[in-house]
Amino acid sequence: DTAVSQTPKYLVTQMGNDKSIKCEQNLGHDTMYWYKQDSKKFLKIMFSYNNKELIINETVPNRFSPKSPDKAHLNLHINSLELGDSAVYFCASSQVAGGPTDTQYFGPGTRLTVL
Amino acid sequence: AQSVTQLGSHVSVSEGALVLLRCNYSSSVPPYLFWYVQYPNQGLQLLLKYTTGATLVKGINGFEAEFKKSETSFHLTKPSAHMSDAAEYFCAVSQLSGYSTLTFGKGTMLLVSP
């Protein structure tokens, strides 16, 4: 069983469209994250949720809206897609406490290409 | 603010040779330190982490790293490279309290030749 799964794996879309990426973890973790990895492989945190509550919200355009329907799921909705949104988006989760020494478990990533 | 510097975007070694990937951190106090590996077209996987205690940390696949406070470093080593070690390696730091917040370095691609 995949611990952290993401759908879709690849997403190709036109500028201006709205799209969603879904993430699910079956590890029983309380904390989930979204990261963006750019074309130079640089990884940056976007959001973090603990038990469905937003706890980290980095300086991300408000076109990006995370939603956590329950603690096992964290979805990312992106409005009005721009060329600069092209990247690989990773979902991750960490243990119950979500503390600073916790190991984060990453999904396989979603490669978003905006044309 | 914490930051991580990984020296060398690419490191090439021969199979069987020593692997050394460098990581230096910038923090007012020693942070928690991590090494993650990313194989092609996959997500990141934890190799090892330093939180407290012994400064030499052993991880999976024969990797280890040593926390050196005086040098603000956390270099990753492996005595003998395998072809399967070819991947992108990321060093990361975490804040000392609150929720887990990783700040990643820019990554080092390890290339292993036969």
Side-chain angles (χ1 to χ4, degrees), chain B residues 30-64:
Chain B
Y32 301 122
L33 295 156
F34 302 75
W35 275 101
Y36 280 82
V37 60
Q38 184 180 22
Y39 297 104
N41 299 314
Q42 294 186 28
L44 280 73
Q45 177 184 4
L46 181 73
L47 272 178
L48 49 80
K49 62 181 175 181
Y50 170 76
T51 55
T52 56
T55 57
L56 182 61
V57 181
K58 295 188 185 299
I60 62 171
N61 302 337
F63 284 92
E64 61 183 35

PDB file of all heavy atoms in Angstrom, chain B residues 30-64:
ATOM      1  N   PRO B  30      22.100  25.575  16.919  1.00  0.00           N
ATOM      2  CA  PRO B  30      22.127  24.346  16.114  1.00  0.00           C
ATOM      3  C   PRO B  30      20.720  23.835  15.855  1.00  0.00           C
ATOM      4  O   PRO B  30      19.956  23.601  16.798  1.00  0.00           O
ATOM      5  CB  PRO B  30      22.932  23.381  16.990  1.00  0.00           C
ATOM      6  CG  PRO B  30      23.761  24.255  17.847  1.00  0.00           C
ATOM      7  CD  PRO B  30      22.928  25.463  18.130  1.00  0.00           C
ATOM      8  N   PRO B  31      20.369  23.662  14.606  1.00  0.00           N
ATOM      9  CA  PRO B  31      19.017  23.203  14.281  1.00  0.00           C
ATOM     10  C   PRO B  31      18.964  21.683  14.242  1.00  0.00           C
ATOM     11  O   PRO B  31      19.956  21.016  14.497  1.00  0.00           O
ATOM     12  CB  PRO B  31      18.809  23.770  12.876  1.00  0.00           C
ATOM     13  CG  PRO B  31      20.197  23.699  12.279  1.00  0.00           C
ATOM     14  CD  PRO B  31      21.165  23.933  13.415  1.00  0.00           C
ATOM     15  N   TYR B  32      17.814  21.166  13.916  1.00  0.00           N
ATOM     16  CA  TYR B  32      17.708  19.756  13.590  1.00  0.00           C
ATOM     17  C   TYR B  32      18.050  19.619  12.097  1.00  0.00           C
ATOM     18  O   TYR B  32      17.673  20.461  11.287  1.00  0.00           O
ATOM     19  CB  TYR B  32      16.305  19.234  13.866  1.00  0.00           C
ATOM     20  CG  TYR B  32      15.887  19.392  15.313  1.00  0.00           C
ATOM     21  CD1 TYR B  32      14.751  20.113  15.647  1.00  0.00           C
ATOM     22  CD2 TYR B  32      16.634  18.824  16.332  1.00  0.00           C
ATOM     23  CE1 TYR B  32      14.363  20.268  16.968  1.00  0.00           C
ATOM     24  CE2 TYR B  32      16.255  18.975  17.659  1.00  0.00           C
ATOM     25  CZ  TYR B  32      15.122  19.708  17.974  1.00  0.00           C
ATOM     26  OH  TYR B  32      14.750  19.856  19.286  1.00  0.00           O
ATOM     27  N   LEU B  33      18.745  18.550  11.744  1.00  0.00           N
ATOM     28  CA  LEU B  33      19.290  18.407  10.394  1.00  0.00           C
ATOM     29  C   LEU B  33      18.877  17.096   9.763  1.00  0.00           C
ATOM     30  O   LEU B  33      18.822  16.061  10.441  1.00  0.00           O
ATOM     31  CB  LEU B  33      20.817  18.504  10.444  1.00  0.00           C
ATOM     32  CG  LEU B  33      21.348  19.864  10.889  1.00  0.00           C
ATOM     33  CD1 LEU B  33      22.734  19.745  11.478  1.00  0.00           C
ATOM     34  CD2 LEU B  33      21.350  20.831   9.701  1.00  0.00           C
ATOM     35  N   PHE B  34      18.615  17.138   8.476  1.00  0.00           N
ATOM     36  CA  PHE B  34      18.103  15.981   7.751  1.00  0.00           C
ATOM     37  C   PHE B  34      18.816  15.848   6.407  1.00  0.00           C
ATOM     38  O   PHE B  34      19.248  16.839   5.809  1.00  0.00           O
ATOM     39  CB  PHE B  34      16.601  16.157   7.449  1.00  0.00           C
ATOM     40  CG  PHE B  34      15.721  16.368   8.651  1.00  0.00           C
ATOM     41  CD1 PHE B  34      15.695  17.589   9.308  1.00  0.00           C
ATOM     42  CD2 PHE B  34      14.895  15.344   9.102  1.00  0.00           C
ATOM     43  CE1 PHE B  34      14.877  17.797  10.413  1.00  0.00           C
ATOM     44  CE2 PHE B  34      14.068  15.544  10.203  1.00  0.00           C
ATOM     45  CZ  PHE B  34      14.062  16.772  10.854  1.00  0.00           C
ATOM     46  N   TRP B  35      18.924  14.606   5.940  1.00  0.00           N
ATOM     47  CA  TRP B  35      19.268  14.329   4.558  1.00  0.00           C
ATOM     48  C   TRP B  35      18.152  13.488   3.957  1.00  0.00           C
ATOM     49  O   TRP B  35      17.768  12.451   4.510  1.00  0.00           O
ATOM     50  CB  TRP B  35      20.590  13.557   4.441  1.00  0.00           C
ATOM     51  CG  TRP B  35      21.814  14.407   4.448  1.00  0.00           C
ATOM     52  CD1 TRP B  35      22.667  14.635   5.492  1.00  0.00           C
ATOM     53  CD2 TRP B  35      22.360  15.124   3.333  1.00  0.00           C
ATOM     54  NE1 TRP B  35      23.684  15.456   5.104  1.00  0.00           N
ATOM     55  CE2 TRP B  35      23.532  15.770   3.788  1.00  0.00           C
ATOM     56  CE3 TRP B  35      21.984  15.273   1.997  1.00  0.00           C
ATOM     57  CZ2 TRP B  35      24.329  16.559   2.959  1.00  0.00           C
ATOM     58  CZ3 TRP B  35      22.769  16.051   1.168  1.00  0.00           C
ATOM     59  CH2 TRP B  35      23.925  16.683   1.657  1.00  0.00           C
ATOM     60  N   TYR B  36      17.654  13.964   2.814  1.00  0.00           N
ATOM     61  CA  TYR B  36      16.659  13.224   2.051  1.00  0.00           C
ATOM     62  C   TYR B  36      17.241  12.875   0.687  1.00  0.00           C
ATOM     63  O   TYR B  36      18.078  13.611   0.151  1.00  0.00           O
ATOM     64  CB  TYR B  36      15.393  14.069   1.831  1.00  0.00           C
ATOM     65  CG  TYR B  36      14.446  14.126   3.009  1.00  0.00           C
ATOM     66  CD1 TYR B  36      14.671  15.000   4.063  1.00  0.00           C
ATOM     67  CD2 TYR B  36      13.324  13.304   3.053  1.00  0.00           C
ATOM     68  CE1 TYR B  36      13.796  15.059   5.139  1.00  0.00           C
ATOM     69  CE2 TYR B  36      12.437  13.352   4.122  1.00  0.00           C
ATOM     70  CZ  TYR B  36      12.685  14.232   5.165  1.00  0.00           C
ATOM     71  OH  TYR B  36      11.812  14.277   6.226  1.00  0.00           O
ATOM     72  N   VAL B  37      16.765  11.774   0.109  1.00  0.00           N
ATOM     73  CA  VAL B  37      17.191  11.360  -1.228  1.00  0.00           C
ATOM     74  C   VAL B  37      15.957  11.309  -2.140  1.00  0.00           C
ATOM     75  O   VAL B  37      14.864  10.931  -1.702  1.00  0.00           O
ATOM     76  CB  VAL B  37      17.911   9.991  -1.201  1.00  0.00           C
ATOM     77  CG1 VAL B  37      17.009   8.884  -0.662  1.00  0.00           C
ATOM     78  CG2 VAL B  37      18.410   9.617  -2.589  1.00  0.00           C
ATOM     79  N   GLN B  38      16.166  11.732  -3.367  1.00  0.00           N
ATOM     80  CA  GLN B  38      15.097  11.678  -4.375  1.00  0.00           C
ATOM     81  C   GLN B  38      15.598  10.902  -5.577  1.00  0.00           C
ATOM     82  O   GLN B  38      16.471  11.373  -6.309  1.00  0.00           O
ATOM     83  CB  GLN B  38      14.665  13.085  -4.786  1.00  0.00           C
ATOM     84  CG  GLN B  38      13.483  13.100  -5.752  1.00  0.00           C
ATOM     85  CD  GLN B  38      13.070  14.505  -6.162  1.00  0.00           C
ATOM     86  OE1 GLN B  38      13.834  15.457  -6.082  1.00  0.00           O
ATOM     87  NE2 GLN B  38      11.827  14.641  -6.597  1.00  0.00           N
ATOM     88  N   TYR B  39      15.062   9.711  -5.773  1.00  0.00           N
ATOM     89  CA  TYR B  39      15.387   8.933  -6.962  1.00  0.00           C
ATOM     90  C   TYR B  39      14.571   9.473  -8.128  1.00  0.00           C
ATOM     91  O   TYR B  39      13.529  10.094  -7.928  1.00  0.00           O
ATOM     92  CB  TYR B  39      15.126   7.450  -6.715  1.00  0.00           C
ATOM     93  CG  TYR B  39      16.003   6.877  -5.631  1.00  0.00           C
ATOM     94  CD1 TYR B  39      15.495   6.627  -4.355  1.00  0.00           C
ATOM     95  CD2 TYR B  39      17.355   6.627  -5.870  1.00  0.00           C
ATOM     96  CE1 TYR B  39      16.313   6.124  -3.351  1.00  0.00           C
ATOM     97  CE2 TYR B  39      18.169   6.135  -4.862  1.00  0.00           C
ATOM     98  CZ  TYR B  39      17.638   5.894  -3.605  1.00  0.00           C
ATOM     99  OH  TYR B  39      18.450   5.418  -2.603  1.00  0.00           O
ATOM    100  N   PRO B  40      15.017   9.244  -9.348  1.00  0.00           N
ATOM    101  CA  PRO B  40      14.337   9.804 -10.517  1.00  0.00           C
ATOM    102  C   PRO B  40      12.842   9.520 -10.516  1.00  0.00           C
ATOM    103  O   PRO B  40      12.412   8.383 -10.295  1.00  0.00           O
ATOM    104  CB  PRO B  40      15.048   9.126 -11.693  1.00  0.00           C
ATOM    105  CG  PRO B  40      16.413   8.827 -11.171  1.00  0.00           C
ATOM    106  CD  PRO B  40      16.219   8.477  -9.726  1.00  0.00           C
ATOM    107  N   ASN B  41      12.084  10.571 -10.731  1.00  0.00           N
ATOM    108  CA  ASN B  41      10.620  10.497 -10.838  1.00  0.00           C
ATOM    109  C   ASN B  41       9.946   9.944  -9.586  1.00  0.00           C
ATOM    110  O   ASN B  41       8.882   9.313  -9.679  1.00  0.00           O
ATOM    111  CB  ASN B  41      10.223   9.660 -12.057  1.00  0.00           C
ATOM    112  CG  ASN B  41      10.729  10.282 -13.337  1.00  0.00           C
ATOM    113  OD1 ASN B  41      10.595  11.476 -13.548  1.00  0.00           O
ATOM    114  ND2 ASN B  41      11.360   9.472 -14.170  1.00  0.00           N
ATOM    115  N   GLN B  42      10.573  10.158  -8.449  1.00  0.00           N
ATOM    116  CA  GLN B  42       9.968   9.709  -7.193  1.00  0.00           C
ATOM    117  C   GLN B  42       9.935  10.847  -6.176  1.00  0.00           C
ATOM    118  O   GLN B  42      10.548  11.908  -6.387  1.00  0.00           O
ATOM    119  CB  GLN B  42      10.759   8.529  -6.610  1.00  0.00           C
ATOM    120  CG  GLN B  42      10.698   7.273  -7.449  1.00  0.00           C
ATOM    121  CD  GLN B  42      11.378   6.104  -6.754  1.00  0.00           C
ATOM    122  OE1 GLN B  42      11.441   6.053  -5.517  1.00  0.00           O
ATOM    123  NE2 GLN B  42      11.882   5.172  -7.527  1.00  0.00           N
ATOM    124  N   GLY B  43       9.232  10.616  -5.080  1.00  0.00           N
ATOM    125  CA  GLY B  43       9.234  11.574  -3.986  1.00  0.00           C
ATOM    126  C   GLY B  43      10.483  11.438  -3.143  1.00  0.00           C
ATOM    127  O   GLY B  43      11.333  10.588  -3.398  1.00  0.00           O
ATOM    128  N   LEU B  44      10.601  12.288  -2.139  1.00  0.00           N
ATOM    129  CA  LEU B  44      11.775  12.270  -1.279  1.00  0.00           C
ATOM    130  C   LEU B  44      11.630  11.201  -0.199  1.00  0.00           C
ATOM    131  O   LEU B  44      10.535  10.914   0.277  1.00  0.00           O
ATOM    132  CB  LEU B  44      11.958  13.630  -0.606  1.00  0.00           C
ATOM    133  CG  LEU B  44      12.608  14.719  -1.449  1.00  0.00           C
ATOM    134  CD1 LEU B  44      11.654  15.225  -2.519  1.00  0.00           C
ATOM    135  CD2 LEU B  44      13.069  15.858  -0.565  1.00  0.00           C
ATOM    136  N   GLN B  45      12.782  10.665   0.189  1.00  0.00           N
ATOM    137  CA  GLN B  45      12.816   9.620   1.211  1.00  0.00           C
ATOM    138  C   GLN B  45      13.894   9.997   2.225  1.00  0.00           C
ATOM    139  O   GLN B  45      14.999  10.399   1.834  1.00  0.00           O
ATOM    140  CB  GLN B  45      13.149   8.283   0.545  1.00  0.00           C
ATOM    141  CG  GLN B  45      13.296   7.116   1.473  1.00  0.00           C
ATOM    142  CD  GLN B  45      13.722   5.855   0.740  1.00  0.00           C
ATOM    143  OE1 GLN B  45      13.975   5.863  -0.460  1.00  0.00           O
ATOM    144  NE2 GLN B  45      13.794   4.753   1.461  1.00  0.00           N
ATOM    145  N   LEU B  46      13.584   9.855   3.500  1.00  0.00           N
ATOM    146  CA  LEU B  46      14.558  10.207   4.523  1.00  0.00           C
ATOM    147  C   LEU B  46      15.732   9.223   4.522  1.00  0.00           C
ATOM    148  O   LEU B  46      15.535   8.005   4.555  1.00  0.00           O
ATOM    149  CB  LEU B  46      13.904  10.201   5.903  1.00  0.00           C
ATOM    150  CG  LEU B  46      14.836  10.570   7.052  1.00  0.00           C
ATOM    151  CD1 LEU B  46      15.149  12.074   7.024  1.00  0.00           C
ATOM    152  CD2 LEU B  46      14.249  10.179   8.392  1.00  0.00           C
ATOM    153  N   LEU B  47      16.949   9.767   4.501  1.00  0.00           N
ATOM    154  CA  LEU B  47      18.158   8.955   4.649  1.00  0.00           C
ATOM    155  C   LEU B  47      18.562   8.873   6.108  1.00  0.00           C
ATOM    156  O   LEU B  47      18.871   7.795   6.617  1.00  0.00           O
ATOM    157  CB  LEU B  47      19.319   9.587   3.882  1.00  0.00           C
ATOM    158  CG  LEU B  47      19.507   9.236   2.415  1.00  0.00           C
ATOM    159  CD1 LEU B  47      20.705  10.030   1.882  1.00  0.00           C
ATOM    160  CD2 LEU B  47      19.740   7.755   2.223  1.00  0.00           C
ATOM    161  N   LEU B  48      18.603  10.023   6.763  1.00  0.00           N
ATOM    162  CA  LEU B  48      18.994  10.095   8.166  1.00  0.00           C
ATOM    163  C   LEU B  48      18.683  11.473   8.704  1.00  0.00           C
ATOM    164  O   LEU B  48      18.395  12.397   7.930  1.00  0.00           O
ATOM    165  CB  LEU B  48      20.489   9.788   8.332  1.00  0.00           C
ATOM    166  CG  LEU B  48      21.485  10.521   7.423  1.00  0.00           C
ATOM    167  CD1 LEU B  48      21.770  11.920   7.902  1.00  0.00           C
ATOM    168  CD2 LEU B  48      22.789   9.726   7.304  1.00  0.00           C
ATOM    169  N   LYS B  49      18.727  11.583  10.027  1.00  0.00           N
ATOM    170  CA  LYS B  49      18.497  12.879  10.654  1.00  0.00           C
ATOM    171  C   LYS B  49      19.280  12.987  11.962  1.00  0.00           C
ATOM    172  O   LYS B  49      19.557  11.984  12.622  1.00  0.00           O
ATOM    173  CB  LYS B  49      17.009  13.126  10.903  1.00  0.00           C
ATOM    174  CG  LYS B  49      16.344  12.138  11.862  1.00  0.00           C
ATOM    175  CD  LYS B  49      14.859  12.470  11.997  1.00  0.00           C
ATOM    176  CE  LYS B  49      14.130  11.425  12.851  1.00  0.00           C
ATOM    177  NZ  LYS B  49      12.665  11.727  12.970  1.00  0.00           N
ATOM    178  N   TYR B  50      19.634  14.220  12.295  1.00  0.00           N
ATOM    179  CA  TYR B  50      20.276  14.520  13.561  1.00  0.00           C
ATOM    180  C   TYR B  50      19.320  15.378  14.375  1.00  0.00           C
ATOM    181  O   TYR B  50      18.868  16.431  13.916  1.00  0.00           O
ATOM    182  CB  TYR B  50      21.593  15.274  13.352  1.00  0.00           C
ATOM    183  CG  TYR B  50      22.134  15.802  14.660  1.00  0.00           C
ATOM    184  CD1 TYR B  50      22.754  14.946  15.575  1.00  0.00           C
ATOM    185  CD2 TYR B  50      21.968  17.130  15.017  1.00  0.00           C
ATOM    186  CE1 TYR B  50      23.213  15.421  16.779  1.00  0.00           C
ATOM    187  CE2 TYR B  50      22.425  17.614  16.221  1.00  0.00           C
ATOM    188  CZ  TYR B  50      23.037  16.761  17.108  1.00  0.00           C
ATOM    189  OH  TYR B  50      23.479  17.224  18.316  1.00  0.00           O
ATOM    190  N   THR B  51      19.036  14.896  15.587  1.00  0.00           N
ATOM    191  CA  THR B  51      18.203  15.700  16.476  1.00  0.00           C
ATOM    192  C   THR B  51      19.022  16.068  17.711  1.00  0.00           C
ATOM    193  O   THR B  51      19.385  17.222  17.897  1.00  0.00           O
ATOM    194  CB  THR B  51      16.917  14.948  16.853  1.00  0.00           C
ATOM    195  OG1 THR B  51      17.243  13.665  17.407  1.00  0.00           O
ATOM    196  CG2 THR B  51      16.047  14.746  15.623  1.00  0.00           C
ATOM    197  N   THR B  52      19.345  15.092  18.531  1.00  0.00           N
ATOM    198  CA  THR B  52      20.212  15.336  19.685  1.00  0.00           C
ATOM    199  C   THR B  52      21.077  14.101  19.889  1.00  0.00           C
ATOM    200  O   THR B  52      20.855  13.069  19.251  1.00  0.00           O
ATOM    201  CB  THR B  52      19.409  15.579  20.976  1.00  0.00           C
ATOM    202  OG1 THR B  52      18.551  14.451  21.179  1.00  0.00           O
ATOM    203  CG2 THR B  52      18.567  16.834  20.889  1.00  0.00           C
ATOM    204  N   GLY B  53      22.035  14.195  20.786  1.00  0.00           N
ATOM    205  CA  GLY B  53      22.833  13.019  21.120  1.00  0.00           C
ATOM    206  C   GLY B  53      24.035  12.844  20.219  1.00  0.00           C
ATOM    207  O   GLY B  53      24.699  13.821  19.854  1.00  0.00           O
ATOM    208  N   ALA B  54      24.305  11.615  19.848  1.00  0.00           N
ATOM    209  CA  ALA B  54      25.504  11.276  19.067  1.00  0.00           C
ATOM    210  C   ALA B  54      25.561  12.091  17.785  1.00  0.00           C
ATOM    211  O   ALA B  54      24.562  12.189  17.052  1.00  0.00           O
ATOM    212  CB  ALA B  54      25.513   9.790  18.734  1.00  0.00           C
ATOM    213  N   THR B  55      26.726  12.664  17.536  1.00  0.00           N
ATOM    214  CA  THR B  55      26.866  13.551  16.373  1.00  0.00           C
ATOM    215  C   THR B  55      27.087  12.793  15.078  1.00  0.00           C
ATOM    216  O   THR B  55      26.917  13.358  13.999  1.00  0.00           O
ATOM    217  CB  THR B  55      28.016  14.541  16.598  1.00  0.00           C
ATOM    218  OG1 THR B  55      29.213  13.790  16.862  1.00  0.00           O
ATOM    219  CG2 THR B  55      27.720  15.464  17.765  1.00  0.00           C
ATOM    220  N   LEU B  56      27.492  11.530  15.179  1.00  0.00           N
ATOM    221  CA  LEU B  56      27.621  10.701  13.971  1.00  0.00           C
ATOM    222  C   LEU B  56      26.326   9.897  13.832  1.00  0.00           C
ATOM    223  O   LEU B  56      26.002   9.065  14.681  1.00  0.00           O
ATOM    224  CB  LEU B  56      28.822   9.768  14.087  1.00  0.00           C
ATOM    225  CG  LEU B  56      29.080   8.882  12.867  1.00  0.00           C
ATOM    226  CD1 LEU B  56      29.357   9.729  11.626  1.00  0.00           C
ATOM    227  CD2 LEU B  56      30.233   7.926  13.139  1.00  0.00           C
ATOM    228  N   VAL B  57      25.634  10.165  12.745  1.00  0.00           N
ATOM    229  CA  VAL B  57      24.321   9.556  12.548  1.00  0.00           C
ATOM    230  C   VAL B  57      24.395   8.564  11.391  1.00  0.00           C
ATOM    231  O   VAL B  57      24.902   8.906  10.328  1.00  0.00           O
ATOM    232  CB  VAL B  57      23.265  10.638  12.226  1.00  0.00           C
ATOM    233  CG1 VAL B  57      21.898   9.996  12.047  1.00  0.00           C
ATOM    234  CG2 VAL B  57      23.219  11.684  13.321  1.00  0.00           C
ATOM    235  N   LYS B  58      23.893   7.379  11.622  1.00  0.00           N
ATOM    236  CA  LYS B  58      23.869   6.363  10.561  1.00  0.00           C
ATOM    237  C   LYS B  58      22.462   6.295   9.971  1.00  0.00           C
ATOM    238  O   LYS B  58      21.466   6.368  10.695  1.00  0.00           O
ATOM    239  CB  LYS B  58      24.286   5.012  11.108  1.00  0.00           C
ATOM    240  CG  LYS B  58      25.738   4.984  11.571  1.00  0.00           C
ATOM    241  CD  LYS B  58      26.207   3.602  11.930  1.00  0.00           C
ATOM    242  CE  LYS B  58      27.619   3.615  12.508  1.00  0.00           C
ATOM    243  NZ  LYS B  58      28.601   4.141  11.538  1.00  0.00           N
ATOM    244  N   GLY B  59      22.419   6.133   8.657  1.00  0.00           N
ATOM    245  CA  GLY B  59      21.131   6.082   7.986  1.00  0.00           C
ATOM    246  C   GLY B  59      20.970   4.817   7.174  1.00  0.00           C
ATOM    247  O   GLY B  59      21.684   3.842   7.357  1.00  0.00           O
ATOM    248  N   ILE B  60      20.058   4.890   6.224  1.00  0.00           N
ATOM    249  CA  ILE B  60      19.795   3.726   5.397  1.00  0.00           C
ATOM    250  C   ILE B  60      20.810   3.635   4.263  1.00  0.00           C
ATOM    251  O   ILE B  60      21.494   4.619   3.951  1.00  0.00           O
ATOM    252  CB  ILE B  60      18.356   3.768   4.828  1.00  0.00           C
ATOM    253  CG1 ILE B  60      18.160   5.000   3.937  1.00  0.00           C
ATOM    254  CG2 ILE B  60      17.333   3.728   5.937  1.00  0.00           C
ATOM    255  CD1 ILE B  60      16.856   5.006   3.176  1.00  0.00           C
ATOM    256  N   ASN B  61      20.916   2.462   3.672  1.00  0.00           N
ATOM    257  CA  ASN B  61      21.757   2.234   2.484  1.00  0.00           C
ATOM    258  C   ASN B  61      23.228   2.550   2.713  1.00  0.00           C
ATOM    259  O   ASN B  61      23.938   2.868   1.764  1.00  0.00           O
ATOM    260  CB  ASN B  61      21.238   3.054   1.288  1.00  0.00           C
ATOM    261  CG  ASN B  61      19.797   2.716   0.942  1.00  0.00           C
ATOM    262  OD1 ASN B  61      19.310   1.637   1.268  1.00  0.00           O
ATOM    263  ND2 ASN B  61      19.112   3.629   0.299  1.00  0.00           N
ATOM    264  N   GLY B  62      23.690   2.451   3.954  1.00  0.00           N
ATOM    265  CA  GLY B  62      25.113   2.628   4.237  1.00  0.00           C
ATOM    266  C   GLY B  62      25.577   4.072   4.361  1.00  0.00           C
ATOM    267  O   GLY B  62      26.766   4.334   4.483  1.00  0.00           O
ATOM    268  N   PHE B  63      24.655   5.023   4.321  1.00  0.00           N
ATOM    269  CA  PHE B  63      25.029   6.420   4.449  1.00  0.00           C
ATOM    270  C   PHE B  63      25.154   6.820   5.916  1.00  0.00           C
ATOM    271  O   PHE B  63      24.478   6.272   6.786  1.00  0.00           O
ATOM    272  CB  PHE B  63      23.984   7.318   3.773  1.00  0.00           C
ATOM    273  CG  PHE B  63      24.081   7.330   2.271  1.00  0.00           C
ATOM    274  CD1 PHE B  63      23.336   6.451   1.508  1.00  0.00           C
ATOM    275  CD2 PHE B  63      24.929   8.225   1.636  1.00  0.00           C
ATOM    276  CE1 PHE B  63      23.435   6.452   0.121  1.00  0.00           C
ATOM    277  CE2 PHE B  63      25.026   8.237   0.243  1.00  0.00           C
ATOM    278  CZ  PHE B  63      24.282   7.352  -0.506  1.00  0.00           C
ATOM    279  N   GLU B  64      26.017   7.796   6.165  1.00  0.00           N
ATOM    280  CA  GLU B  64      26.117   8.386   7.481  1.00  0.00           C
ATOM    281  C   GLU B  64      26.476   9.864   7.346  1.00  0.00           C
ATOM    282  O   GLU B  64      26.950  10.304   6.282  1.00  0.00           O
ATOM    283  CB  GLU B  64      27.124   7.660   8.372  1.00  0.00           C
ATOM    284  CG  GLU B  64      28.541   7.657   7.873  1.00  0.00           C
ATOM    285  CD  GLU B  64      29.443   6.841   8.804  1.00  0.00           C
ATOM    286  OE1 GLU B  64      28.994   5.823   9.359  1.00  0.00           O
ATOM    287  OE2 GLU B  64      30.601   7.254   8.970  1.00  0.00           O
TER     288      GLU B  64
END
